[in-house]
Amino acid sequence: MLARKNILFGLLVALLMVALLSGCGAKSQEGAKSAAKEQVIRYNVGAEPKTLDPAKATGLPEGTIMMQLFEGLTRYDAKQEIKPGIAESWEISKDGLTYTFKLRDAKWSNGDPVTAKDFVYSWLRALDPKTASEYAYQLFYIKGAEEYNSGKGKKEDVALKALDDKTLQVTLKAPAPQFLGLTAFQTLYPVHQKTVEGNPNWFADPAKYVSNGPFKMVSWDHNQKIVVEKNPNYWDAGNVKLSKLEIYLIDSIDTAYNMFKTGQLDFQDDVPVQELAALKGSKELKIVPDASVYFYRFNVTRKPFNDVRVRKALAMAIDRKTLVEQVTQAGQKPAFAFVPFGFKDADGKDFRENAGDFFKEDVEQARKLLAEAGYPDGKGFPKVTIMYNTNENHQKIAQAIQQMWKKNLNIEVGLQNVEWQVKLDRETKLDYDIARAGWSPDYMDPMSFIDMFVTGGGNNQTGWSNPEYDKLVRQANSSGDQKVRMEAMHKAEKLLMDEMPVMPIYFYTNPNLIKENIKGVIIPPFGTYADFKWAYVE
């Protein structure tokens, strides 16, 4: 338990260290050194984005790119505190239901003003069933939103109002302390109505792409790189030091590592696991906290994963300690639950620490469960496949788990790597047996993990459904009482782990390679890989 307390404390301390090492803070941002060299950073985000439409995107690569291009009503700073973004202020009614945002004088990259009507349009667009946004549920806190998205209500009944060009009023169906943080999230970014309605392919066309963030897109060489430049129309352009950010889309971590070594990249997200031991002690290696979970999805609509005994047997038959110590090697923690450390419970303590583990590794019990499911000593178990997106580290983890299942359960499992966009598509279509996944919270609340698995949820992608689980999520989302909310989420997580449609593997850390002259980059523990708004080259 002490170790877990240290993790939480370490997360906060290390976050501050990242900010200090990276030179965040007003004094460093204003340093005269920042303008000394060409202000260009070359960064690898690790995948070709599936889409750069805020209403449709779901992945971290997409979220990271769009964070440079857009800004919501709020934005997180280097300490991960919610700060004014396009909204310069807001008021929350005493009953916690009505949020009134006052917008600042802000412009789109084409010079048009950003107005409250843009937010109304964009949020209703994300909720429109025709948009088929997998993340529409992040707006369900708004009165009438879920009904409109499900086809049971009307657009006119969604409680969103542009009182005037600078005033946005939002009414929630129940108090939701996490809502303010959500206004910084990608699904709630505004989009430019004329652009969206004037070109159905606007989100893939750099020449037509209009955004409202620190940078604007100027080119997109697919599977190679996206180039963004400083947006002179951004309201806070005076604090943007970079003139250009080159975002590389290289999925091979070994290739990207070689590019970093030869000076073709300044910043590489993730590090080849075989290089970590040699890099320890290097000032260019920064392993920072990450409140995310690495896990495998089971497709419960397919045999043999429609049997909970099989799912639990597989979860109990791997050695997570060996995996994190000998394969991933970056200080990750074995995961025996789904919500990571770092989230406050109702009593102010850590949510994960309060709940503890929900299962344990037990090979004998795993074999027993597999036999009860009709596969004694693995006999008759069908050949199934682990699908993962192309990345050598994911491959090494999958190989290790493949060997553990063979050794402990005598079952054969195949491996298949696919491109990032293909993986996302196949997960959505339930076209897989077992799929590698990771989940980073969209805001600092356990609900960001729990509400994924409601029946039909856009990010559920397992085929799993449980009415009692749905009821617990509704209960948590219908109360502003933290004790009621957290108790419901604890029960929901236990139910999720009892039925195991997902197999937690480890809680992340985030290893990065960053040249020493790159300063001011925020590497948040959730939401995106990096925020370059305040970055500069020293």
Side-chain angles (χ1 to χ4, degrees), residues 218-260:
V218 295
S219 67
W220 184 350
D221 186 2
H222 291 280
N223 296 302
Q224 296 297 319
K225 69 177 177 181
I226 288 172
V227 177
V228 303
E229 293 180 351
K230 179 176 178 175
N231 174 13
N233 286 316
Y234 177 52
W235 70 270
D236 198 22
N239 279 318
V240 179
K241 302 293 188 295
L242 290 184
S243 60
K244 184 192 294 185
L245 175 63
E246 296 183 1
I247 303 172
Y248 286 76
L249 314 173
I250 303 158
D251 55 13
S252 168
I253 195 169
D254 289 343
T255 300
Y257 176 67
N258 288 329
M259 291 178 67
F260 181 84

Side-chain angles (χ1 to χ4, degrees), residues 353-371:
E353 188 175 347
N354 278 350
D357 296 337
F358 285 112
F359 66 100
K360 62 181 181 180
E361 290 155 4
D362 185 336
V363 173
E364 288 306 312
Q365 181 63 17
R367 288 172 179 159
K368 183 181 176 186
L369 285 169
L370 204 62

